[in-house]
Amino acid sequence: MNKKIYDQIYPKVSVIVPCYNERERILPVLESIKKSSYVEEIIVVDDSSEEKTIQLLRSLKNITLITLKENKGKALALKIGVLNAHTDTVMFVDSDLKNLTPENIDQMVEAFFDGGYDMVIGEREREWIFARYTGMATTLAGERIIKKQLLLDHMELFKAEGYLIESAINKLFFKQKKVGRVLLYGVGQFWKEQKSGIGAVFLKDIPWMIRYIRFLGIKDFLGQLYFAKKLPFIPSSRK
């Protein structure tokens, strides 16, 4: 997609990137974010990574690095990022994405402000077919742009355990706020089995899925999937 010249000037956003031992994957993500003209600041919250990752992050320019002394999980990392953001709009971006481009970032920002949304979710195009078919690619997506004040008004969301934070946000926003989603063309993620081997599926993914369903309850779990499946994609204005 070629970048188009827009007459409208969009407000700048703060991008919050939670990180845990992503030394080999985070650099391309940060470089793409930096190239977006809509980004005011990049806040990397390192959740007590190994020393090699921390050293790399400390060497980078044009980011704000917050390092946690103890591993506290993704929810707390995002909370700290929100509390340190200086703009009225925050964007969450995972640190282990594949093929993220500045155009992906721009697409989310433009959709958010053009539509007057409270939250826009970026669904990765290169997700498992099962995840996209069921709606889980939307409900669990880490890429979100949100009005900061709504998060500040509901800080209880960040009490959710680690990677349940997206589900907690969904509980507040789905059906109660104006939510949209965009398709992030070409974007995927390094899956756990690529990082830690196939055993990670059994040791991490399956127990997490059980916690995920227990956290929501069957009714809300299915309700979030149904809502996500019915949520139309916002057409991209980029040609």
Side-chain angles (χ1 to χ4, degrees):
M1 292 181 289
N2 296 322
K3 187 171 178 62
K4 186 179 178 182
I5 298 175
Y6 293 86
D7 294 328
Q8 181 176 355
I9 298 176
Y10 295 88
K12 296 292 184 73
V13 305
S14 299
V15 180
I16 300 167
V17 184
C19 175
Y20 179 64
N21 292 340
E22 296 292 354
R23 177 174 63 92
E24 298 176 355
R25 292 167 284 270
I26 193 172
L27 276 180
V29 174
L30 295 178
E31 288 304 312
S32 290
I33 297 171
K34 288 179 181 179
K35 291 176 183 177
S36 170
S37 58
Y38 301 143
V39 175
E40 176 71 22
E41 60 183 350
I42 303 172
I43 302 172
V44 178
V45 183
D46 182 81
D47 196 15
S48 190
S49 293
E50 61 186 6
E51 187 60 29
K52 288 183 179 180
T53 296
I54 295 175
Q55 288 178 353
L56 171 68
L57 293 174
R58 286 174 177 166
S59 71
L60 300 180
K61 297 180 180 180
N62 301 319
I63 69 167
T64 298
L65 175 62
I66 301 173
T67 303
L68 305 184
K69 294 182 178 180
E70 297 181 13
N71 183 267
K72 296 293 186 180
K74 184 178 183 181
L76 181 63
L78 293 179
K79 175 182 178 180
I80 291 172
V82 170
L83 292 175
N84 283 273
H86 293 94
T87 68
D88 294 330
T89 308
V90 296
M91 179 185 291
F92 300 149
V93 176
D94 284 347
S95 57
D96 58 351
L97 299 182
K98 290 181 178 180
N99 306 318
L100 182 73
T101 67
E103 288 76 20
N104 296 136
I105 301 296
D106 294 349
Q107 179 189 3
M108 290 185 66
V109 173
E110 291 159 6
F112 180 83
F113 288 112
D114 282 343
Y117 290 97
D118 296 309
M119 175 173 72
V120 166
I121 299 173
E123 180 177 317
R124 303 160 191 156
E125 182 186 28
R126 296 185 179 178
E127 275 285 5
W128 284 357
I129 294 176
F130 174 79
R132 293 203 62 197
Y133 178 78
T134 60
M136 290 182 68
T138 300
T139 60
L140 299 180
E143 287 61 64
R144 295 161 185 251
I145 179 168
I146 305 175
K147 291 181 179 179
K148 183 176 71 173
Q149 190 58 51
L150 289 176
L151 295 172
L152 295 177
D153 290 343
H154 296 278
M155 295 303 283
E156 70 277 2
L157 295 174
F158 297 100
K159 293 180 181 179
E161 176 188 350
Y163 287 91
L164 294 174
I165 179 60
E166 284 86 10
S167 301
I169 292 173
N170 295 343
K171 289 180 72 172
L172 171 65
F173 280 80
F174 283 10
K175 299 183 181 180
Q176 300 181 53
K177 306 295 181 183
K178 187 175 182 181
V179 179
R181 68 170 171 168
V182 300
L183 186 62
L184 302 181
Y185 295 98
V187 178
Q189 183 183 33
F190 287 91
W191 297 323
K192 286 185 176 65
E193 57 269 28
Q194 293 174 298
K195 300 179 187 179
S196 308
I198 192 66
V201 174
F202 299 97
L203 295 176
K204 297 180 180 180
D205 283 0
I206 294 177
W208 179 86
M209 181 60 66
I210 294 172
R211 291 196 300 272
Y212 169 42
I213 295 174
R214 285 178 176 173
F215 173 73
L216 290 175
I218 291 294
K219 182 179 179 180
D220 282 350
F221 169 71
L222 295 176
Q224 287 195 11
L225 294 181
Y226 179 80
F227 180 88
K229 283 286 290 181
K230 296 295 183 181
L231 196 63
F233 285 105
I234 304 167
S236 175
S237 57
R238 298 183 160 263
K239 304 291 185 180

